[in-house]
Amino acid sequence: MTMQRRYRRGDTGPAVAEIRSKLVLLGLLPAGAHAVHGTGDTDGHGGYADAVFDDSVDLAVRHFQQQRAMTVDGVVGPETYRHLDEARWRLGDRMLSYSIGHPTVGDDVATLQQRLLDMGFDCGRVDGILGPATERALREFQRNYGLGADGTCGPATFRALDRLARTVVGGQPHAMRESELLHRSGPSLAGKTVVIDPGHGGTDQGVTAHGLTEAEIVWDLARRLEGRLSALGVQAYLTRGLDSDGIGEEERAAFANATDADLVISLHADRNESPRAAGVSSYYYGSGSDRYGRRSPTGEHFASLVQRELVARTGMVDGRTHGKAWTLLRRTRMPAVRIEVGYLTNAEDAARLASSEFRDHAAESVVVALQRLYLPPEEDVPTGMLRLPVFT
Ligand SMILES: [Zn+2]
């Protein structure tokens, strides 16, 4: 079942029954308690139609979102629903094999990837998506351990994985691989490919406040960034045009993957019910709540560089960096960082974002952070000191 609309506290119906049963399966909701209103008649649609998204469901959804490093809002939309679906799979529950164009996704795949990495088989990062790199690593593992190298994870492979898991100590091979890739590509920005993703667009204007719209601001910022990067010899691609409409996060990620970029920079502006919420924050792919390496170390590093430069060069409040499992961050094969450049709902932030001088500083901050990312550590200089020849 695919879920198009968003469900929240107070909603009822079959979709809510489905959400409840998934939460029960995950141990986040007690079975049976207040599952339906009325007579408890659950045979046929009559009973399930009465399932209620009540306070206990709201709490369980928030708990789940927190665990999975998603936005915690208690609302089940397509993304949360997909995660609920993925979370129920344990390694061994089903056969796993690579299917072109329709990859298997789930927590069992993530466990498989972690096991493969622990044993030194490079399947890329742990993202729970069975893609070609995971299949290659799986075949390699099977070949090494005298199993039929068919790339399918069935009973014999599960048993072998289980046996070996106890003897192998986990490491961070993926972290090493990412940083190897980073340094192999050399210290110069020229020749790099960067995808710039201005959020929203078209009929989706994002946050609107203080006479500003998020879609327009991030578009303008993206163009300034694109100009600077191009001048430095970077091939920069934008995920959308000025008026492009209806481009989802999955499509943006697919676009970035197709360009085989070195890095993705997604630009957004934030909102909050409190007009006092202010500042800039940067997000990378990562889930803080589990011991496995579900994070992009380069993404995390770049996020901290961007954050540092933005705060130092613009004087914005430091909203710090955070690991998130948002679709764009997760589905891109290269490190990706999403920057929330300020709160449009905050008067001071809005005034800053309205100024073209501020946007120039913001764009320059991102470019300097990028420059730093590719500098060997010994050549790094204190924040605020690095000047790019082209723009001073
Ligand atoms: Zn946004």
Side-chain angles (χ1 to χ4, degrees):
M1 162 169 154
T2 51
M3 185 162 288
Q4 292 310 325
R5 51 163 294 213
R6 299 159 65 74
Y7 294 87
R8 65 189 76 225
R9 189 162 34 200
D11 284 339
T12 55
V16 174
E18 174 112 24
I19 291 165
R20 292 196 65 118
S21 73
K22 287 193 187 310
L23 292 166
V24 169
L25 212 62
L26 294 170
L28 292 167
L29 200 63
H34 313 293
V36 288
H37 270 325
T39 61
D41 160 35
T42 54
D43 48 359
H45 293 291
Y48 284 117
D50 286 342
V52 182
F53 199 127
D54 58 15
D55 285 352
S56 68
V57 177
D58 180 80
L59 199 67
V61 168
R62 287 173 194 270
H63 188 155
F64 176 72
Q65 289 171 327
Q66 179 93 45
Q67 274 181 358
R68 310 279 290 192
M70 307 173 67
T71 301
V72 180
D73 57 6
V75 176
V76 179
E79 192 171 8
T80 297
Y81 187 81
R82 211 162 41 233
H83 275 263
L84 278 171
D85 206 45
E86 292 169 15
R88 69 194 159 110
W89 297 105
R90 295 284 159 269
L91 189 60
D93 283 357
R94 56 178 172 175
M95 301 266 281
L96 294 173
S97 60
Y98 174 54
S99 132
I100 298 164
H102 197 80
T104 308
V105 183
D107 282 17
D108 51 346
V109 178
T111 307
L112 170 65
Q113 291 171 325
Q114 188 60 52
R115 299 259 173 99
L116 290 168
L117 280 174
D118 284 348
M119 292 183 292
F121 298 97
D122 182 8
C123 59
R125 74 181 176 202
V126 178
D127 58 7
I129 304 165
L130 209 168
T134 303
E135 195 215 18
R136 259 194 319 274
L138 179 59
R139 282 183 196 276
E140 192 63 27
F141 163 74
Q142 291 175 324
R143 211 170 290 126
N144 271 262
Y145 287 84
L147 302 158
D150 58 2
T152 294
C153 204
T157 306
F158 289 133
R159 273 197 304 277
L161 284 168
D162 234 28
R163 214 162 44 231
L164 289 159
R166 286 177 238 124
T167 62
V168 177
V169 181
Q172 287 276 335
H174 174 62
M176 285 183 276
R177 181 178 151 275
E178 251 194 12
S179 103
E180 248 168 53
L181 274 179
L182 188 68
H183 290 292
R184 196 184 57 199
S185 61
S188 164
L189 277 189
K192 298 280 191 300
T193 302
V194 172
V195 166
I196 306 168
D197 172 45
H200 311 278
T203 49
D204 168 20
Q205 287 292 297
V207 182
T208 308
H210 290 107
L212 302 172
T213 63
E214 180 185 359
E216 269 175 46
I217 285 174
V218 295
W219 168 256
D220 179 72
L221 201 52
R223 292 304 300 268
R224 288 172 201 259
L225 188 54
E226 181 193 23
R228 282 168 163 71
L229 290 177
S230 302
L232 290 166
V234 174
Q235 175 72 61
Y237 293 105
L238 298 179
T239 53
R240 67 163 171 98
L242 176 59
D243 295 316
S244 309
D245 198 21
I247 308 169
E249 298 288 287
E250 299 260 357
E251 282 170 272
R252 293 172 197 244
F255 172 79
N257 290 340
T259 66
D260 204 21
D262 294 286
L263 201 71
V264 177
I265 300 167
S266 182
L267 302 168
H268 283 258
D270 224 333
R271 69 173 299 282
N272 197 284
E273 277 157 35
S274 163
R276 285 187 311 190
V280 56
S281 306
S282 304
Y283 299 87
Y284 55 92
Y285 174 68
S287 154
S289 65
D290 79 43
R291 71 184 180 85
Y292 295 128
R294 285 196 201 194
R295 50 191 270 281
S296 159
T298 302
E300 185 175 9
H301 181 47
F302 182 56
S304 73
L305 293 171
V306 165
Q307 188 64 21
R308 214 168 78 182
E309 294 298 332
L310 275 169
V311 168
R313 287 165 190 265
T314 65
M316 297 281 273
V317 172
D318 186 0
R320 295 178 297 153
T321 64
H322 310 271
K324 288 286 171 198
W326 292 331
T327 301
L328 183 82
L329 302 179
R330 178 184 178 199
R331 295 266 171 165
T332 41
R333 280 199 302 269
M334 60 292 295
V337 166
R338 170 162 161 170
I339 308 166
E340 295 278 350
V341 289
Y343 284 80
L344 291 187
T345 43
N346 175 266
E348 287 96 78
D349 276 11
R352 281 183 162 121
L353 284 161
S355 121
S356 66
E357 198 192 7
F358 171 88
R359 295 179 195 183
D360 275 337
H361 286 315
E364 183 169 316
S365 304
V366 177
V367 176
V368 170
L370 198 55
Q371 190 88 304
R372 283 182 183 281
L373 181 67
Y374 291 106
L375 273 184
E378 63 273 18
E379 286 176 37
D380 208 0
V381 291
T383 303
M385 299 296 289
L386 198 61
R387 286 281 175 269
L388 297 169
V390 196
F391 296 107
T392 46

